[in-house]
Amino acid sequence: MTNTVETTATVLEASATENGAVLFVPLNKLKKSPRNARKTPHSEAHIEALAASIAAKGMLQNLVVEPETNAEGEPTGFYFVTIGEGRRLAQMLRVKRKQIKKTEAIRCVLDTENDATEISLDENVTREAMHPADQFECFRELAENRGWGAEEIAARFGVTAHVVRQRLRLGAVSPKLMQVYRDGGLSLDQLMAFAITEDHDRQVQVYENLSWSRDPSTIRRDLTKMNVAATDRRAIFVGADAYAEAGGTIIRDLFTEDRGGYFEDAALLDRLVIDKLEGIAAEVQAAEGWKWASVQIDFPHAHGMRRSYPHPVDLSADDGAAFGAAQEDYDRLSSEYEGYEELPDEVDRRFGELEAEIERIDAKRCAYDADEIARGGVFVILNHDGMSRIERGFIRAEDEAPKSTDVEQATITEDGEIVGDGGSGEDAEPQSEDEEAEDAGKPLSDLLIRDLTARRTLGLRLALGEQPDMALVAVVHAMAAQTFYRGGEASCLEIRLTSAYLASHADGIENTPAAKALADRHAGWASDMPRDVADLWAFVAGLDYASLMALLAHCASLTVNVVRIPWEQKPNARATMEKFASAVALDMAAHWTPSVQTEVVPVRRAVR
């Protein structure tokens, strides 16, 4: 077959010497013309596209050639390609890929009259490229009318399947917006932003409501504001597969890094979140024995319940022995493999097992009272990182243990101290008839009690002001009583703490890593607090200096409030705020990153 082609080409070459004659020239007889106007080489992507097109549809255009001659003006048997160098290179690429032979006959048109440089320039200048909108719609028609997928179209046009998907998505934009694009009313970047969704009505609605800002990011934000980003904690918790299995649709932006797209059905996603949290709540309640378990996406800060925390308990002998053995094994392995950059798989797996065992036993060092578990409950919520979070130990008002109704009566001791007589409770010591008769002769009036206690208050003020160390204990005790106990009326210092509810000022702030870190710190202190507020003084007084200052710092930190409210005039507080932030070396970048929700909107000042 090759010999036949070569013979035919030779005969045609010999007989066709007139201008405009059609020749079938072997590919290896074609050369790049030195007079080709295009000096910048064709891109690899362009040659790839031409090769794919020729393979699928053949040579749709002839090459234009002129004979090569030697110094004496005699033909050499080769031809210079005046027009169609890109197609020649595409065929050479097909030879390299062994799709055709190098002797493949190429149909050419002989041109011996026109100037080669001029017609080469004419070929590249005197033409108009197709409008991109026409290209996008034609790709869509190929997919719809021929049933071709992105891969097949890509193979026929020498582009990637991703490029084809992009063009198909653009071709699916609302015809109304496509016409605006043709007329120059939209840029390609703006059209790509509208292509994030295939809902034509939504596209047109957003377009008609655009203000002066037509930035592509604004268009995308408006189109997806009713959807949920795949980076949202709800989407992470449920997962794309479970959401899709439940019938949900994920919108994907083919023109930017969408990081997983957007979950279209927010209501479905919320329902899946609740369902999954309820499953976790049922397991926790069954395993730990809580009276109730409540599921919430966000933590219900206004629950109005008292919260109890676990208290330190001693490990059992078995757990203590198991903990010691696991810690010893862990330390031995750490020492043995200290210099290793990469651990063997079995050693790495053993480290994981030991860490899990140590954490499991260590968690038993703190526990709730059985009575608190029987009366209390847990909130199972969604954490900021897309994981479930379990908050335990909440006691509803109706589940609180009944309080004693005994009323103490005031009496006076020999040294003038005003005390209660112990009432008639279980802890009151029985008095003899002589003692009762003696006490009966000392009734105290309200006026006397006020007078004596006022004098006692004055004495305490004087004494406390001369003892800074004891003043520190008293202040920390007063703050801790209000911070960790309901009511907090356990201190004789009239120090009143207030803590602003930040969630009312910043939506979602309670689900941030910073809020979680603060809650963990609070829970750590709360677990150390004595069960009864009456024992708090002894606890605080027994702390070492570093722990006392750390507790003071935590209690004080909960009272910080630098929220700026328009109608509040606090110039001195604001000035102090800046000095305060500088003194503690506040780094906002460590706790906050800007997002679409925190986009700064310019405020127009009122003209006075």
Side-chain angles (χ1 to χ4, degrees):
M1 179 137 190
T2 302
N3 292 335
T4 303
V5 172
E6 289 180 351
T7 303
T8 304
T10 303
V11 171
L12 288 174
E13 289 173 22
S15 61
T17 58
E18 298 181 358
N19 182 65
V22 176
L23 308 178
F24 287 84
V25 182
L27 179 60
N28 60 352
K29 296 291 185 180
L30 296 174
K31 294 182 177 181
K32 178 181 179 179
S33 172
R35 297 197 288 172
N36 192 307
R38 184 188 290 271
K39 303 303 180 186
T40 304
H42 293 273
S43 67
E44 292 184 5
H46 179 61
I47 300 304
E48 285 277 0
L50 287 174
S53 175
I54 293 171
K57 298 173 280 289
M59 291 273 286
L60 301 180
Q61 294 175 281
N62 298 327
L63 304 186
V64 177
V65 299
E66 63 173 341
E68 181 190 48
T69 57
N70 58 23
E72 289 74 27
E74 298 174 348
T76 63
F78 289 87
Y79 290 84
F80 288 125
V81 177
T82 306
I83 296 175
E85 173 62 13
R87 296 189 291 280
R88 184 187 76 85
L89 293 175
Q91 291 287 41
M92 294 296 293
L93 179 61
R94 297 184 66 212
V95 171
K96 184 178 180 180
R97 292 175 175 173
K98 302 189 182 303
Q99 296 176 352
I100 60 174
K101 296 182 178 180
K102 63 181 180 180
T103 55
E104 176 82 8
I106 307 299
R107 186 168 61 181
C108 305
V109 175
L110 186 66
D111 190 319
T112 56
E113 294 184 359
N114 293 304
D115 179 75
T117 300
E118 180 184 355
I119 63 175
S120 174
L121 178 63
D122 200 332
E123 173 76 5
N124 288 280
V125 172
T126 314
R127 64 177 181 175
E128 183 176 6
M130 173 187 288
H131 192 284
D134 299 331
Q135 179 189 150
F136 304 151
E137 291 182 338
C138 286
F139 267 77
R140 177 176 55 82
E141 289 173 4
L142 286 176
E144 293 179 354
N145 299 337
R146 302 288 182 87
W148 292 344
E151 287 75 13
E152 184 169 358
I153 296 175
R156 298 179 70 88
F157 287 89
V159 293
T160 65
H162 181 66
V163 169
V164 174
R165 293 188 187 95
Q166 288 180 324
R167 294 174 182 175
L168 291 175
R169 179 68 67 85
L170 288 168
V173 170
S174 164
K176 179 178 179 178
L177 297 188
M178 190 65 78
Q179 189 58 49
V180 175
Y181 170 57
R182 280 193 173 94
D183 297 340
L186 286 174
S187 68
L188 179 58
D189 286 341
Q190 291 168 331
L191 189 72
M192 289 191 296
F194 278 108
I196 194 172
T197 177
E198 297 181 11
D199 187 338
H200 289 181
D201 292 338
R202 181 72 179 140
Q203 291 172 349
V204 173
Q205 179 188 31
V206 169
Y207 171 74
E208 291 177 345
N209 291 331
L210 284 176
S211 59
W212 58 270
S213 175
R214 294 196 170 194
D215 187 88
S217 63
T218 301
I219 296 172
R220 287 188 177 90
R221 182 195 64 195
D222 290 348
L223 284 168
T224 59
K225 65 183 179 182
M226 302 300 294
N227 309 130
V228 180
T231 54
D232 185 273
R233 59 197 173 106
R234 293 171 291 171
I236 295 172
F237 181 63
V238 171
D241 293 340
Y243 171 77
E245 187 177 344
T249 302
I250 299 178
I251 300 173
R252 299 195 179 276
D253 191 343
L254 300 181
F255 304 96
T256 64
E257 177 56 53
D258 66 358
R259 294 177 294 178
Y262 299 85
F263 288 51
E264 191 173 30
D265 194 338
L268 171 62
L269 183 61
D270 284 346
R271 180 171 61 80
L272 294 175
V273 170
I274 293 296
D275 290 346
K276 190 171 180 179
L277 288 175
E278 285 179 345
I280 296 172
E283 293 177 3
V284 171
Q285 188 175 8
E288 300 180 15
W290 294 97
K291 181 177 181 180
W292 55 268
S294 177
V295 166
Q296 307 281 340
I297 293 180
D298 296 317
F299 186 79
H301 287 274
H303 53 73
M305 289 178 255
R306 177 177 67 86
R307 184 173 189 179
S308 63
Y309 289 90
H311 297 281
V313 295
D314 294 330
L315 292 177
S316 66
D318 291 342
D319 285 336
F323 182 87
Q327 188 66 58
E328 182 180 352
D329 202 7
Y330 184 90
D331 293 341
R332 179 184 57 78
L333 285 176
S334 298
S335 177
E336 184 177 347
Y337 291 93
E338 183 177 1
Y340 282 64
E341 292 184 2
E342 186 173 350
L343 296 174
D345 290 342
E346 63 275 9
V347 176
D348 188 53
R349 184 166 51 253
R350 181 56 180 161
F351 266 117
E353 293 172 352
L354 289 171
E355 288 172 355
E357 178 69 0
I358 290 171
E359 290 179 3
R360 182 189 68 81
I361 301 174
D362 207 36
K364 294 184 177 183
R365 296 183 187 276
C366 290
Y368 290 89
D369 288 344
D371 181 66
E372 292 174 337
I373 294 176
R375 295 176 184 275
V378 298
F379 287 112
V380 180
I381 60 176
L382 186 58
N383 203 26
H384 64 87
D385 58 358
M387 304 295 288
S388 62
R389 185 171 119 215
I390 304 168
E391 297 288 347
R392 300 171 172 85
F394 295 90
I395 313 294
R396 292 169 174 161
E398 60 269 24
D399 294 327
E400 290 283 4
K403 296 182 179 179
S404 173
T405 58
D406 294 335
V407 179
E408 293 186 347
Q409 297 178 358
T411 59
I412 185 170
T413 64
E414 292 182 356
D415 60 0
E417 181 181 1
I418 307 298
V419 296
D421 68 353
S424 57
E426 294 179 1
D427 296 334
E429 295 183 4
Q431 292 179 309
S432 66
E433 294 182 3
D434 293 340
E435 289 175 331
E436 290 178 358
E438 185 178 351
D439 289 342
K442 292 184 180 180
L444 298 181
S445 66
D446 291 341
L447 183 60
L448 179 57
I449 291 175
R450 289 171 56 193
D451 181 275
L452 292 174
T453 52
R455 296 176 187 279
R456 187 175 182 81
T457 298
L458 178 59
L460 285 171
R461 287 180 178 179
L462 183 62
L464 191 62
E466 296 171 350
Q467 302 179 49
D469 291 344
M470 192 52 63
L472 176 60
V473 172
V475 169
V476 174
H477 172 265
M479 297 176 75
Q482 297 175 65
T483 302
F484 297 100
Y485 297 89
R486 179 175 287 248
E489 299 295 337
S491 174
C492 55
L493 272 62
E494 290 192 329
I495 295 175
R496 293 292 177 263
L497 306 185
T498 59
S499 184
Y501 179 47
L502 298 181
S504 63
H505 302 291
D507 187 33
I509 191 173
E510 68 274 15
N511 294 313
T512 61
K516 180 62 169 59
L518 181 60
D520 289 344
R521 188 175 74 193
H522 185 81
W525 275 112
S527 64
D528 292 337
M529 294 291 132
R531 290 171 173 80
D532 193 337
V533 70
D535 300 323
L536 180 61
W537 177 271
F539 171 78
V540 174
L543 293 174
D544 59 64
Y545 182 76
S547 299
L548 187 66
M549 296 303 291
L551 179 55
L552 171 64
H554 174 69
C555 293
S557 72
L558 300 181
T559 71
V560 173
N561 182 11
V562 295
V563 177
R564 294 184 62 169
I565 301 175
W567 57 85
E568 286 186 347
Q569 300 298 323
K570 298 180 178 179
N572 293 331
R574 290 178 181 176
T576 304
M577 173 189 70
E578 298 301 332
K579 297 175 183 177
F580 181 34
S582 177
V584 299
L586 176 65
D587 180 13
M588 280 300 298
H591 310 296
W592 173 82
T593 53
S595 63
V596 174
Q597 288 73 19
T598 56
E599 181 180 358
V600 177
V601 180
V603 178
R604 183 177 299 169
R605 295 184 180 275
V607 178
R608 295 185 183 274

